[in-house]
Amino acid sequence: MNIDLTIVWAFIIAFAVFAYVVMDGFDLGIGILFPTFEVGPERDRAMNSIAPVWDGNETWLVLGGGGLFAAFPLAYAVILPATYPLIIAMLLGLVFRGVAFEYRWRDPGHRRLWDTAFTGGSLVAAMAQGMTLGAMLQGIEVVDRAYAGSWWDWLTPYTLLTGIGTVAGYALLGATWLVWKLDGESQNHSRRLAKRAALATLVLMGAVSLYNVFLNAEYAARWLTAPEIWFAAPVPILTGIVAIALLRALSVARHSKPFWLSLMLFFFGMAGLGFTIWPNVIPPDVTIWEAAAPERSQIFMLVGVAITLPLILAYTAWAYWVFRGKVGHEGYH
């Protein structure tokens, strides 16, 4: 049986992106919500909950970006020039967040400054990631296998909507993570934040989905005409079921369940977006096969991924297992 390696690589990169979104997403979400926490122990406990794992979560960003460059070089060569300002903003946001994370503990005299940098970096990175997604979904102009648009094509009402939706979604992940990891009044505070973030996320997911129908005739046909609609219908139905379960879990004294339901909400959201653009990697015209590297290159890289990916998964699982449970008042180091 012949295996289409291009499809295999598409799913590897999709998995890496999803892993990054859900793992670094709650880190960024805590940063976004940080100003709502009381200065002192509540902020310290929120940051301590991600201290052992936040930097390892960046591994998935490297795997996704590196995999895109290696397996789909044309996509890499087009998407980056189309979104350079957003990519630069995202990286600077991640740098500020990382520096603030370390210096907040080492330089307590300027802790307010580092808290601001932590929040600002998280917000900028989340917004930039969401707008990058929107810039891809709205379509990128390609001529002769090169980006042919302008410097500002990424800035539209649609990309602003996807950016705000991503910020809300990350805030939901961060709040539900803290519901799981904290206790007492801090947990109750996080649960209240999670309810608001859940409602905002659901409204914005619906708004993006509706916008997609009017954004591109092909997207509308994919979701509203037979036989495609029969394959697409389970996604919004399951999303609705998960949304109801999430809101119910946040209304009672559940600990980890809201976080897992939030992950499921992200999964179905990304599945819907994947169904919308498939098989294009650069909407509206460049498919994964047109953007793919030669087969020999894909085979060579697949050997490396087959070795490193299980190691990354094992290390990540071990780290989360070691630091399971509730978070106390102990310091970062």
Side-chain angles (χ1 to χ4, degrees):
M1 181 178 65
N2 293 327
I3 299 176
D4 191 330
L5 293 180
T6 300
I7 295 179
V8 172
W9 268 106
F11 277 96
I12 289 173
I13 294 174
F15 174 77
V17 171
F18 177 72
Y20 171 77
V21 165
V22 299
M23 292 184 186
D24 206 36
F26 66 79
D27 293 359
L28 294 172
I30 290 174
I32 293 166
L33 296 172
F34 210 60
T36 68
F37 302 129
E38 291 185 6
V39 176
E42 189 172 47
R43 288 192 177 185
D44 293 344
R45 292 180 69 193
M47 191 167 276
N48 286 339
S49 72
I50 57 174
V53 297
W54 76 271
D55 46 357
N57 293 340
E58 307 295 333
T59 304
W60 299 104
L61 180 63
V62 176
L63 179 61
L68 183 68
F69 173 75
F72 301 99
L74 176 60
Y76 188 91
V78 170
I79 293 172
L80 256 70
T83 58
Y84 268 141
L86 295 172
I87 300 300
I88 293 171
M90 179 192 72
L91 294 176
L92 288 175
L94 293 176
V95 168
F96 272 95
R97 182 192 65 157
V99 172
F101 208 108
E102 293 290 342
Y103 277 86
R104 183 179 187 274
W105 303 98
R106 299 179 184 275
D107 183 22
H110 297 89
R111 183 162 291 182
R112 180 176 296 181
L113 171 65
W114 300 123
D115 285 356
T116 301
F118 181 58
T119 298
S122 300
L123 183 60
V124 168
M127 190 73 182
Q129 289 174 17
M131 292 183 71
T132 300
L133 174 63
M136 292 178 58
L137 288 170
Q138 73 182 3
I140 298 176
E141 186 179 354
V142 180
V143 177
D144 295 331
R145 296 172 62 85
Y147 175 59
S150 73
W151 180 260
W152 298 103
D153 281 5
W154 53 270
L155 183 57
T156 65
Y158 179 73
T159 61
L160 290 172
L161 180 63
T162 57
I164 295 171
T166 301
V167 170
Y170 283 178
L172 172 63
L173 290 176
T176 53
W177 172 263
L178 293 177
V179 169
W180 184 6
K181 289 298 180 179
L182 303 183
D183 53 18
E185 180 55 33
S186 296
Q187 185 189 54
N188 294 333
H189 180 203
S190 299
R191 183 173 285 109
R192 291 192 295 270
L193 292 174
K195 290 178 182 178
R196 299 170 189 167
L199 292 173
T201 300
L202 292 171
V203 169
L204 289 165
M205 285 181 68
V208 171
S209 300
L210 184 62
Y211 205 133
N212 283 340
V213 174
F214 298 97
L215 182 69
N216 187 307
E218 185 177 341
Y219 295 170
R222 182 69 60 89
W223 284 95
L224 301 177
T225 61
E228 289 87 352
I229 191 174
W230 307 120
F231 297 98
V235 174
I237 293 173
L238 292 173
T239 300
I241 293 173
V242 170
I244 293 171
L246 172 61
L247 294 175
R248 291 186 62 183
L250 289 171
S251 299
V252 295
R254 300 290 186 180
H255 295 262
S256 64
K257 189 175 181 179
F259 180 72
W260 295 115
L261 289 170
S262 298
L263 294 189
M264 292 177 64
L265 195 66
F266 263 79
F267 173 79
F268 288 120
M270 293 188 68
L273 294 178
F275 181 83
T276 299
I277 67 172
W278 178 265
N280 293 325
V281 65
I282 308 174
D285 299 318
V286 181
T287 68
I288 58 173
W289 296 279
E290 293 171 330
E295 185 177 8
R296 288 187 178 182
S297 298
Q298 293 184 32
I299 294 173
F300 177 78
M301 295 180 296
L302 196 60
V303 174
V305 170
I307 297 171
T308 59
L309 187 57
L311 293 175
I312 296 172
L313 289 171
Y315 166 78
T316 302
W318 176 78
Y320 279 91
W321 173 257
V322 169
F323 295 100
R324 65 192 183 276
K326 298 291 184 180
V327 176
H329 295 280
E330 296 82 6
Y332 175 34
H333 296 287

